[in-house]
Amino acid sequence: MDERQFKRFKISFTLFWIGQICFLLSLFTFDGRFKFLPNWLIFLDLFAFIGFVVMFIGIAISRGINKNFYYSLVTCLIFVAVSVLQSVCVTSTDDFYVNWSKGLEWSNQAFKCLFYFYFFYGCYKYFVSLGHTEIGKKSKIAAIIFVSLFILERLTVFLMFFDGIKANIVANRIMTFGQMIINFVIYTYLVVISTIIFIRLNKRRKEALNHEEAK
C-alpha cells in the first residue's frame, strides 16, 4: 500500500465528510419558507458555502488517486462555472435569460449528481485496489442509492411544473414538503454512509497494522 496516497485519501474523505455535515446544517434554513421560524436561521445558509469550499479542497487532494476522483473534480468545476452563469442570468429582467437560468439550474443539478456518483465510484475502485472489497461494495451501493434519491427529488420538482399541481394547494404542498424531506434524507444519508465507510476503513487499517506487527 502507498502510505502517502492512503493518507491523502483519508484527508480527502474527511474533508468530504465535513462538507456533507455543513450541507445538512444549511438545510435547516428551510429556504425561508416558514415565516414563523426565527430570522437568524437564514445564517445557516453560510454552512452551504463553507461545506462546498471544504469539500472542493478534499476533492482536489484526491484527484490523482484514480480517474473517477479526477472526473469528480472536473464536474465540480463545471458546477461552479454553471452556477456563476446561472446567478448572472437570474438577475436579468429579460425573459429569455430568466428561462435560461431555469434550464441551467437543472443542468447544475445533473452535474451535482455526476459529482457524487464519480466520488463514490472512485472510493469503490480505490477500496477494491486495497483489497477492501466489502467497503468497496458499500461505496458502490452509496453511488446507486444517491442517484436514485436524486432522481426522486428531481421528479418532485418536475411535477410542480404541472398546472394541476400548481393550482391544487394540497398537491402543491405535498410536492414542496416532499422535496424538502428528500433533500434531508439525501444529505443525512451522505453523512451516515460516509461515517460508516470511514469507520470501517480505519478498523480494517488497524487490523492490517496489527497483523503486520504480529509477524
Side-chain angles (χ1 to χ4, degrees):
M1 179 190 292
D2 187 333
E3 289 294 335
R4 290 181 63 185
Q5 187 182 77
F6 183 75
K7 287 179 180 179
R8 188 169 46 162
F9 173 79
K10 282 187 68 174
I11 293 170
S12 172
F13 198 88
T14 301
L15 293 175
F16 172 85
W17 175 72
I18 292 171
Q20 305 320 302
I21 293 174
C22 289
F23 288 143
L24 182 59
L25 289 172
S26 72
L27 293 179
F28 286 95
T29 60
F30 296 103
D31 294 328
R33 292 176 181 175
F34 304 110
K35 294 181 179 179
F36 60 85
L37 292 174
N39 293 331
W40 62 263
L41 282 177
I42 196 67
F43 292 106
L44 290 177
D45 203 36
L46 289 172
F47 279 104
F49 175 75
I50 295 169
F52 183 82
V53 172
V54 171
M55 186 181 69
F56 181 82
I57 294 171
I59 298 304
I61 291 171
S62 67
R63 69 188 183 281
I65 295 175
N66 62 45
K67 65 180 181 180
N68 290 288
F69 287 126
Y70 174 75
Y71 292 154
S72 68
L73 176 62
V74 171
T75 52
C76 193
L77 289 170
I78 295 173
F79 176 87
V80 172
V82 175
S83 294
V84 172
L85 185 58
Q86 181 195 356
S87 64
V88 172
C89 291
V90 79
T91 57
S92 175
T93 55
D94 191 312
D95 289 341
F96 172 78
Y97 290 107
V98 172
N99 291 328
W100 196 24
S101 71
K102 293 177 182 178
L104 289 172
E105 197 273 334
W106 278 81
S107 298
N108 232 8
Q109 291 299 317
F111 285 122
K112 182 173 78 172
C113 181
L114 277 174
F115 160 75
Y116 279 103
F117 175 81
Y118 280 133
F119 180 80
F120 280 113
Y121 199 74
C123 289
Y124 161 70
K125 289 289 188 180
Y126 181 62
F127 293 145
V128 169
S129 71
L130 296 178
H132 302 321
T133 308
E134 182 186 346
I135 306 174
K137 286 181 179 178
K138 289 188 180 297
S139 299
K140 192 175 183 179
I141 292 170
I144 295 170
I145 291 177
F146 174 81
V147 172
S148 301
L149 289 172
F150 173 83
I151 292 172
L152 184 60
E153 187 270 342
R154 286 292 92 190
L155 180 61
T156 60
V157 176
F158 177 73
L159 289 174
M160 284 191 282
F161 283 101
F162 288 92
D163 292 334
I165 292 178
K166 281 183 179 179
N168 190 306
I169 296 175
V170 176
N172 187 273
R173 288 299 178 186
I174 289 173
M175 290 298 105
T176 300
F177 290 125
Q179 183 203 5
M180 291 173 61
I181 291 169
I182 294 169
N183 270 322
F184 271 106
V185 170
I186 287 173
Y187 285 104
T188 300
Y189 174 74
L190 288 172
V191 170
V192 172
I193 194 63
S194 298
T195 303
I196 291 172
I197 290 172
F198 200 62
I199 290 172
R200 291 285 178 87
L201 180 62
N202 283 326
K203 184 179 178 181
R204 285 293 182 88
R205 181 60 183 152
K206 286 180 181 178
E207 289 174 353
L209 289 172
N210 290 335
H211 182 71
E212 288 179 7
E213 288 175 2
K215 289 181 179 180

